């Protein structure tokens, strides 16, 4: 499940959104503590009129404090809260202020709105700084990395390197080009893919109204419709297929797993299993469904008890370790059901 979209600002003044294909648009609303993008509201109202998903972002300058910038952003966009996804644009000179400033913004905005905003940054910034406090706060990542500067249209599976994103286990939205070209507009556009469906987008925008906060979706491509590869790795494709089998949101992520249980999950792919260093969180709905199916204690946290019941269910050796043999048996089971 994924959606295609663009992010725009006053630099795209004059764009006719009715002529441009997109599932979502994220618009610049403010910058620092003194700039409002006068085109933002027109863009948002047009997109809403077209029945598309919307988001608004704040471009941080780092010249005051995270709390002050969050308050300024909120004063300008509070009319969008509950309908539009919120995001912090972390680039330029603001990067020098470090993750603590960004976290202050995100926490302050959450206090004001009840919403966890995404944070936008380049993949290199993800890896240069310690973002563990932000990632641990379950703030979703909107990540940018470009393969090249060649003009391109929307891509189903855009390139990204395999070096990871620092402390972030996954990304919710991926900006893969700043030279996008789409029908209906002659200039360059930033192109994005959101690893979620419309329901998940609504949970980011309004968690209280839309059935709870979403787990952060990963940077994985939609799974193939064919058989799973039986490779013993509980990675994105196997997670997504498991979610599809149980009817949970198929976002490819196993959320809120305690780091202390990782030793029992040797074949859990770290790019999509979200291990928390501190706290336990609400656990994973997919894990709860697996526990019910296997007859294990239902708490949403995959640990030794879950693995032992999984192995008994599959008829493999019960050693309490979810290794390649156990996962291969589960992949084979899914392929036959």
């Amino acid at each position: 499940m994924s959606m295609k979209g663009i992010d725009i600002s006053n630099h795209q003044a004059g764009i006719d959104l009715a002529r441009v294909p997109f599932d979502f648009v994220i618009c610049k609303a403010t910058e620092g503590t003194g700039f409002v993008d006068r085109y933002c509201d027109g863009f948002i109202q047009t997109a809403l009129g077209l029945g598309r998903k919307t988001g608004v972002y704040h471009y941080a300058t780092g010249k005051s404090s995270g709390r002050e910038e969050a308050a300024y952003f909120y004063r300008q966009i509070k009319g969008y809260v509950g309908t539009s996804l919120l995001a912090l644009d972390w680039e330029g000179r603001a990067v020098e202020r470090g993750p603590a400033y960004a976290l202050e913004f995100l926490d302050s905005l959450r206090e004001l709105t009840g919403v966890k905003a995404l944070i936008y940054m380049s993949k290199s910034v993800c890896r240069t700084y310690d973002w563990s406090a932000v990632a641990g706060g379950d703030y979703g990542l909107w990540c940018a990395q470009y393969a090249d500067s060649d003009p391109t249209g929307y891509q189903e599976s855009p390139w990204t390197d395999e070096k990871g994103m620092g402390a972030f286990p996954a990304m919710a939205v991926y900006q893969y080009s700043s030279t996008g070209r789409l029908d209906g507009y002659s200039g360059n556009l930033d192109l994005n893919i959101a690893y979620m469906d419309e329901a998940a987008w609504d949970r980011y925008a309004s968690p209280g109204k839309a059935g709870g906060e979403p787990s952060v979706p990963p940077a994985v491509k939609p799974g193939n419709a064919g058989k799973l590869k039986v490779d013993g790795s509980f990675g994105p494709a196997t997670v997504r297929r498991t979610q599809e089998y149980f009817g949970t949101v198929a976002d490819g992520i196993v959320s809120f797993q305690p780091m202390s249980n990782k030793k029992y999950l040797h074949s859990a792919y770290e790019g999509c299993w979200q291990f928390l260093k501190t706290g336990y969180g609400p656990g994973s709905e997919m894990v709860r469904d697996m526990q019910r199916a296997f007859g294990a204690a239902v708490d949403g946290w995959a640990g030794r008890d879950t693995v032992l019941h999984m192995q008994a269910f599959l008829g493999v050796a019960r050693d309490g370790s979810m290794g390649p043999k156990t996962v291969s048996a589960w992949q084979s089971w899914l392929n036959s059901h």
Side-chain angles (χ1 to χ4, degrees), residues 2 53 61-62 124 135 145 148 172 177 222 224 229 231 269 286 308:
S2 62
K53 296 301 177 184
T61 63
S124 62
Q145 186 182 41
D148 51 48
S177 178
N224 295 326
K229 182 179 179 181
D231 58 6
Y269 186 84
M286 184 198 84
L308 285 170

Side-chain angles (χ1 to χ4, degrees), residues 15-172:
I15 187 173
D16 183 354
L17 291 176
R19 299 179 58 197
V20 178
F22 66 96
D23 298 319
F24 65 88
V25 60
I26 307 176
C27 307
K28 181 178 182 178
T30 54
E31 180 175 331
T33 57
F35 175 81
V36 175
D37 194 314
R38 64 190 180 94
Y39 293 94
C40 177
D41 188 62
F43 291 152
I44 294 293
Q45 299 307 326
T46 298
L48 290 174
L50 293 168
R52 313 294 171 76
K53 296 301 177 184
T54 60
V56 289
Y57 73 85
H58 172 80
Y59 186 98
T61 63
K63 293 181 179 180
S64 52
S65 71
R67 181 171 292 276
E68 289 177 295
E69 291 205 47
Y72 183 76
F73 180 51
Y74 173 66
R75 288 196 297 271
Q76 310 304 324
I77 58 88
K78 56 186 175 181
Y80 306 134
V81 175
T83 58
S84 294
L85 177 150
L86 309 181
L88 169 64
D89 186 346
W90 193 251
E91 57 181 308
R93 296 299 299 272
V95 173
E96 299 172 7
R97 296 300 302 270
Y101 190 106
L103 182 60
E104 183 181 46
F105 178 100
L106 294 165
D107 285 346
S108 297
L109 186 64
R110 184 183 178 190
E111 291 173 7
L112 292 167
T113 65
V115 176
K116 292 180 182 178
L118 300 185
I119 182 168
Y120 168 95
M121 67 182 80
S122 70
K123 210 169 186 186
S124 62
V125 172
C126 289
R127 296 192 284 244
T128 302
Y129 295 84
D130 180 6
W131 292 99
S132 55
V134 173
D138 198 31
Y139 292 108
L141 176 64
W142 175 13
C143 191
Q145 186 182 41
Y146 310 148
D148 51 48
S149 59
D150 295 339
T152 182
Y154 285 130
Q155 298 180 28
E156 293 289 342
S157 300
W159 172 87
T160 182
D161 67 32
E162 303 300 325
K163 297 179 181 179
M165 296 160 289
F168 291 98
M171 62 175 105

